[in-house]
């Protein structure tokens, strides 16, 4: 009888929260659908799609549009079916048997998850109680333990904290390990290393269309790296990894620079309102810690995380529960007001 192997036999499929909720603040998505003018451009573009043909393996038009938006050389960019595909691909291809990768904790759990499928060793560098990364200590760790690859999100999901450009550069230039900076949330901050990509032989940067760009449905992620690494990524990826619809739609969306910049301002402003509201709440309550954030969500610690999560769910508001922590996405201004009102109500009720 066939038996599943040890590494997969206990896995269960990823299940996002089921059910319909009025306010979704659990996945760090953009709260608004694309506006009508962009959507009508996408509809027009549908007519040009050759549905009978395989997609462009290098997604050249999409990559050019992305590269133009960020001011990077298109030769350095590889498109993926979401960053998720790229994380799995790069961990499996750039590590080999016996290699060790390093993750930090807390951080995005997929990095560690894929390493177990790839059967490589995964070490963990713990953050302090303030959830900051001690970069000097991390550099020592990487060099002492002969780490082959390090991957972390900057800004970090779930903490919302980030390391500066200067610190990130210090890290990349002080180790021989391949450094993967997942900048999924860097659209909300200013400390990207994208413009430095050419200076380093050991750096890959991920970006995504799923957060600020508001196109999680298209599954578009990007790996940016020097030509040697970029070529290797293109050589190992499956040839038709990004479908023609996502390529065509993504190309158009990245051309709307002003729209994206305006949305960035709105989301950052709503995040500030959310953060200030949570801080105000924490001043009146025992045991709540609210962490400052440079991303589009706010992370907080509270002894009644589970009760709060349930209470909000009862009001058709979902946030992300992570043990003693809650991660709340900055939605629209009205959604932020609603979640703050519900939280204030929770504490009044529970007093
Ligand atoms: C949301 C997110 C991504 C984006 O993943 P996609 O597969 O591109 O949707 C990548 N990294 C982190 C840390 C994220 O939170």
């Amino acid at each position: 009888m066939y038996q599943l192997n040890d590494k997969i036999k206990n896995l269960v499929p990823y299940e996002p929260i089921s059910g319909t909720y009025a306010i979704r603040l659990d996945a760090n998505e953009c709260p608004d659908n694309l506006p009508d003018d962009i959507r009508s451009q996408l509809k027009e573009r549908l007519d040009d799609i050759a549905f009978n043909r395989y997609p462009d393996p290098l997604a050249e038009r999409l990559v050019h549009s992305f590269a133009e938006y960020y001011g990077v050389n298109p030769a350095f960019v590889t498109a993926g079916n979401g960053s998720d595909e790229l994380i799995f691909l790069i961990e499996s291809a750039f590590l080999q048997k016996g290699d060790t990768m390093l993750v930090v904790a807390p951080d995005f759990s997929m990095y560690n998850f894929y390493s177990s499928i790839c059967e490589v060793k995964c070490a963990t560098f713990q953050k302090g109680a303030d959830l900051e990364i001690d970069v000097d200590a991390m550099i020592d760790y990487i060099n002492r333990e002969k780490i082959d690859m390090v991957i972390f999100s900057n800004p970090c999901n779930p903490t919302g904290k980030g390391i500066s450009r200067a610190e990130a550069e210090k890290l990349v230039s002080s180790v021989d390990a391949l450094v993967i900076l997942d900048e999924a949330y860097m659209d909300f901050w200013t400390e990207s290393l994208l413009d430095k990509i050419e200076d380093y032989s050991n750096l890959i940067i991920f970006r995504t269309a799923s957060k600020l760009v508001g196109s999680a449905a298209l599954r578009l992620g990007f790996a940016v790296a020097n030509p040697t690494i970029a070529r290797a990524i293109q050589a190992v990826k499956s040839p038709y990894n990004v479908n023609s619809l996502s390529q065509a739609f993504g190309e158009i969306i990245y051309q709307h620079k002003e729209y994206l910049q305006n949305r960035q301002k709105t989301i950052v402003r709503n995040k500030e309102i959310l953060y200030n509201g949570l801080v105000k709440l924490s001043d009146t309550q025992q045991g709540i810690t609210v962490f400052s954030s440079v991303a589009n969500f706010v992370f907080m610690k509270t002894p009644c995380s589970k009760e709060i999560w349930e209470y909000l769910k009862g009001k058709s508001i979902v946030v992300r529960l992570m043990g003693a922590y809650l991660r709340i996405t900055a939605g629209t201004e009205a959604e932020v007001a609603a979640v703050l009102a519900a939280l204030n109500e929770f504490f009044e009720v529970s007093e």
Side-chain angles (χ1 to χ4, degrees), residues 82-84 108 111 153 157 182 184-185 208 210-211 219-221:
S83 318
D84 257 324
F108 192 45
Y111 311 138
S153 53
N157 173 11
D182 183 349
Y185 299 95
T208 180
S210 300
K211 307 290 156 57
R219 310 302 302 120
L220 285 175

Side-chain angles (χ1 to χ4, degrees), residues 238-258:
S238 71
Y240 305 118
N241 60 327
V242 182
N243 72 72
S244 299
L245 273 177
S246 294
Q247 290 191 26
F249 288 1
E251 179 195 350
I252 291 170
I253 294 161
Y254 279 106
Q255 288 164 354
H256 290 271
K257 195 161 190 163
E258 199 184 320

Side-chain angles (χ1 to χ4, degrees), residues 288-317:
I288 302 183
T289 311
V290 181
F291 297 93
S292 63
S293 166
V294 293
N296 66 333
F297 54 84
V298 179
F299 198 48
M300 64 187 274
K301 188 173 187 184
T302 157
C304 32
S305 56
K306 184 82 198 287
E307 290 85 346
I308 295 176
W309 184 79
E310 292 283 0
Y311 184 80
L312 293 176
K313 213 155 68 102
K315 297 196 159 288
S316 206
I317 301 174

Side-chain angles (χ1 to χ4, degrees), residues 28-189:
N28 298 340
E29 296 149 324
C30 174
D32 300 308
N33 202 344
L34 292 168
D36 290 345
D37 61 331
I38 298 184
R39 287 161 68 94
S40 52
Q41 259 185 303
L42 302 182
K43 283 176 200 150
E44 269 171 43
R45 190 60 194 277
L46 258 184
D47 290 338
D48 302 334
I49 302 228
F51 285 93
N52 55 325
R53 301 294 177 198
Y54 282 107
D56 171 6
L58 293 180
E60 284 197 51
R61 292 176 61 176
L62 166 67
V63 159
H64 271 83
S65 180
F66 169 92
E68 170 95 18
Y69 180 83
Y70 287 106
V72 296
N73 184 334
F76 302 167
V77 180
T78 309
N81 186 21
S83 318
D84 257 324
E85 184 203 16
L86 296 168
I87 296 165
F88 196 11
L89 178 72
I90 287 168
E91 286 186 15
S92 54
F94 285 73
L95 290 168
Q96 51 190 13
K97 228 191 190 114
D99 281 357
T100 306
M101 64 173 258
L102 181 70
V103 296
V104 300
D107 200 358
F108 192 45
S109 59
M110 297 313 286
Y111 311 138
N112 198 336
F113 170 73
Y114 288 134
S115 76
S116 67
I117 308 286
C118 300
E119 296 192 274
V120 297
K121 284 176 271 179
C122 185
T124 303
F125 182 83
Q126 205 64 41
K127 295 181 193 177
D130 58 2
L131 302 181
E132 303 280 357
I133 295 180
D134 179 341
V135 172
D136 289 323
M138 188 163 155
I139 291 169
D140 287 346
Y141 187 101
I142 292 169
N143 291 330
R144 192 175 64 239
E145 301 293 324
K146 304 201 167 23
I147 297 297
D148 299 286
M149 172 193 289
V150 50
I151 179 165
F152 63 101
S153 53
N154 188 43
C156 170
N157 173 11
T159 68
K161 291 179 169 287
I163 62 170
S164 71
R165 246 168 98 75
E167 286 180 301
E169 275 204 273
K170 185 175 182 188
L171 174 71
V172 178
S173 59
S174 307
V175 302
D176 290 326
L178 177 62
V179 178
I180 302 173
L181 284 180
D182 183 349
E183 295 190 349
Y185 299 95
M186 195 55 89
D187 288 320
F188 304 104
W189 203 30

